[in-house]
Amino acid sequence: MHSFGYRANALLTFAVTILALMCAIASLSDNLNSPSPSAEIQILNINWFQKQPHGNDEVSLTMNITADLQSLFTWNTKQVFLFVAAEYETSKNALNQVSLWDAIIPAKEYAKFNLHTSNKYRFIDQGHNLRGKEFNLTLHWHVMPKTGKMFANKIVMSGYQLPEEYR
Amino acid sequence: MGWVGESVASVKSMQIRRTLSQFISLGMIVSSALIIWKGLICITGSESPVVVVLSESMEPGFQRGDILFLRMSKDPIRAGEIVVFNIQGRDIPIVHRVIEVHERQVTGEVDVLTKGDNNPGDDRMLYAYGQRWVKRQHIMGRAVGFLPYVGWMTIIMTEKPIVKYILVGALGLLVITSKD
């Protein structure tokens, strides 16, 4: 009845139960945090803008990104994945989302920044609809916890427009 | 001398009862595991609700041995989500982040481009020959939560099958021979 195996089994079961409970509580505690992040993106320059040989429009641009995401971090946050996407509608597609830049923020210290960057991923349309196109820049973040549920949210910034002519 | 035969018979029937009840309890364990798995499939809507991360392409977010919980809902796929998808000609599904979405006007059909956070470039070179986009039908689910380290046992068992046989054998033996 009180053999070694029996005790080891009871101890292991208890330890795993407690661990699972603590993970669940850690994940739930993220709900108590109500973050208030802020961000601003300026387009400093359209580096070039052309139609590829097979007909898709491609743009290269330089952005200035200012953001303060410190309030997203809690004790259960492993990292925040951050990306900027251009979002627009064309006659072919109801929604186009194209990632232009992304970054992994490993800790709260790095969550407030201001940087200049050109687009890290190619901004290519499906077709040739980008001349004079109005689009939104959306800053998305995905919070990856140490354990438990992942959170995501975004800030939409509108009123950007591409030039009327290729350059 | 009648009592000797009697007690032998009673011991024999005890043995048979005990063995039977142990086989039944083994069956209960196996079937309850199956019930939990199939129940999860129903709740999450994904044909494999839990996957183990096998590669380092999503470091440091997901490490080898983490397990991911998947959901498959009717919600449209959006950039930034971590999806699990199958590629024709590959046995193992890939867990990567969506970086580009193009959703058609009328049909709502989507073209999706993915990338591993830890990979320098997008996934076009991982796709099947001539495939430029991941479509809705390739996607098995999206990751909604995760638990670290728990999947290590699976990795060890798939990479060293001998461990699996020893473990399953030992557990089976334990269940059959235990006398509580």
Side-chain angles (χ1 to χ4, degrees), chain A residues 4-74:
Chain A
F4 175 75
Y6 179 80
R7 286 171 198 220
N9 185 17
L11 190 68
L12 192 72
T13 313
F14 184 63
V16 169
T17 313
I18 294 293
L19 202 63
L21 204 67
M22 281 168 66
C23 289
I25 292 171
S27 178
L28 282 176
S29 74
D30 278 341
N31 291 316
L32 302 175
N33 184 38
S34 46
S36 53
S38 63
E40 197 180 330
I41 303 175
Q42 287 168 301
I43 294 181
L44 300 176
N45 189 29
I46 305 289
N47 303 327
W48 46 265
F49 180 25
Q50 63 195 31
K51 191 168 168 177
Q52 292 178 333
H54 42 270
N56 291 337
D57 280 352
E58 179 170 2
V59 192
S60 166
L61 40 80
T62 304
M63 296 174 285
N64 180 21
I65 305 169
T66 310
D68 180 0
L69 304 168
Q70 293 183 77
S71 59
L72 291 173
F73 283 81
T74 68

Side-chain angles (χ1 to χ4, degrees), chain B:
Chain B
M1 280 299 162
W3 63 276
V4 175
E6 219 170 75
S7 58
V8 164
S10 95
V11 164
K12 265 188 184 163
S13 77
M14 283 287 285
Q15 285 289 4
I16 288 167
R17 283 183 181 200
R18 179 176 288 162
T19 330
L20 274 178
S21 90
Q22 268 148 7
F23 270 108
I24 288 172
S25 67
L26 187 68
M28 292 282 270
I29 291 170
V30 172
S31 49
S32 57
L34 204 68
I35 290 169
I36 291 173
W37 181 251
K38 291 289 176 188
L40 274 177
I41 292 178
C42 282
I43 294 167
T44 61
S46 169
E47 54 192 298
S48 59
V50 176
V51 293
V52 177
V53 178
L54 296 175
S55 83
E56 279 142 17
S57 61
M58 287 295 280
E59 295 255 2
F62 299 150
Q63 279 147 354
R64 238 166 98 76
D66 291 352
I67 64 171
L68 297 181
F69 298 96
L70 306 186
R71 280 205 63 184
M72 191 65 210
S73 58
K74 291 264 180 282
D75 298 345
I77 308 287
R78 288 290 174 259
E81 290 173 343
I82 297 163
V83 292
V84 180
F85 57 94
N86 278 309
I87 292 298
Q88 208 180 4
R90 277 176 183 269
D91 304 331
I92 302 171
I94 303 176
V95 185
H96 278 176
R97 195 184 294 277
V98 174
I99 63 165
E100 235 183 279
V101 172
H102 299 280
E103 191 175 279
R104 296 285 174 281
Q105 279 288 7
V106 184
T107 57
E109 195 189 324
V110 280
D111 285 338
V112 167
L113 179 65
T114 55
K115 175 182 173 288
D117 289 358
N118 197 29
N119 292 348
D122 64 41
D123 286 347
R124 286 245 163 81
M125 57 192 183
L126 299 177
Y127 297 165
Y129 181 75
Q131 182 182 1
R132 295 195 42 83
W133 306 99
V134 172
K135 304 274 187 185
R136 184 91 201 189
Q137 71 263 23
H138 300 130
I139 294 174
M140 292 163 61
R142 66 192 93 192
V144 290
F146 87 110
L147 211 56
Y149 310 122
V150 184
W152 264 111
M153 211 57 217
T154 321
I155 292 186
I156 292 169
M157 284 198 282
T158 36
E159 284 175 5
K160 298 221 175 2
I162 185 80
V163 177
K164 177 164 63 184
Y165 299 136
I166 291 172
L167 210 72
V168 170
L171 276 179
L173 214 65
L174 209 70
V175 170
I176 288 174
T177 59
S178 70
K179 353 172 160 48
D180 62 280

